[in-house]
Amino acid sequence: MSTAQISRPGRLLVALSLAAALVLPASPASAHDELVGSDPAADAVVGETPEQVTLTFIDAPLTEDGATEIVILDEDCAPITEGEPVIDGVEITQAIAGPVEGAVIVQWRTVSSDGHPISGEFGFSVGTEGAQAAAGDCVETAAEQAEGGSEGFNAVPYAVGGGILFLGVGIVIAIAIARGRRGATKD
């Protein structure tokens, strides 16, 4: 079927539909990646300080510099994190410096595979059951410190740029259809 066989209102409807499909935002994803497990597990009591904490996610997080940060604190709110986190597929591993006794708080922030930042925290105990409550004040302290530094991947510029690109393509299509319609009426 050629454009000459489509009625004028029909061509206008097609042009408006194409433009609307390109300009209207897509519906947001229903869920982002999430933490599905950790070693040691949340609220666990372990006999001795583990060498590392491992976080397991649904999908592999982004690996750009600054996209992942893990802070591990003892019950005195002193950091016991050693080195940088290591990402291997869906797992992020963070080394722990030296032995510790009592509560351990793990706070993490990463950028999921869909470009959205995700974060969380949990605690476990070394040798003493229920010691997480003693480290409750550390959670606020670490959260306040983390608030100041958000150097991870930022998807907003990409979303805005993509929206502008789609708007431009929609306008070009609408102009092309309008010019084609004018050319068809001259014949």
Side-chain angles (χ1 to χ4, degrees), residues 5-168:
Q5 295 173 324
I6 300 175
S7 68
R8 186 175 206 183
R11 288 191 303 257
L12 182 59
L13 181 62
V14 169
L16 290 175
S17 297
L18 284 172
L22 292 172
V23 173
L24 293 176
S27 61
S30 59
H32 302 297
D33 296 343
E34 61 185 57
L35 181 69
V36 293
S38 65
D39 182 22
D43 300 324
V45 178
V46 296
E48 57 185 47
T49 306
E51 292 180 12
Q52 63 192 22
V53 171
T54 302
L55 308 177
T56 305
F57 294 87
I58 289 176
D59 204 353
L62 297 183
T63 58
E64 281 84 14
D65 286 341
T68 297
E69 184 177 333
I70 297 177
V71 177
I72 304 174
L73 304 168
D74 67 13
E75 64 185 14
D76 295 325
C77 302
I80 56 171
T81 308
E82 183 174 64
E84 296 296 318
V86 176
I87 300 172
D88 183 18
V90 297
E91 292 185 341
I92 302 174
T93 303
Q94 178 64 61
I96 295 177
V100 65
E101 188 74 25
V104 176
I105 300 296
V106 178
Q107 293 188 319
W108 56 270
R109 179 183 58 82
T110 191
V111 180
S112 66
S113 62
D114 63 3
H116 291 91
I118 56 175
S119 62
E121 61 189 51
F122 65 93
F124 65 92
S125 297
V126 178
T128 309
E129 189 169 344
Q132 291 91 342
D137 294 336
C138 295
V139 175
E140 278 187 32
T141 304
E144 289 167 359
Q145 291 171 358
E147 236 175 62
S150 57
E151 296 178 17
F153 177 79
N154 187 356
V156 173
Y158 295 102
V160 170
I164 291 170
L165 178 67
F166 282 123
L167 178 62

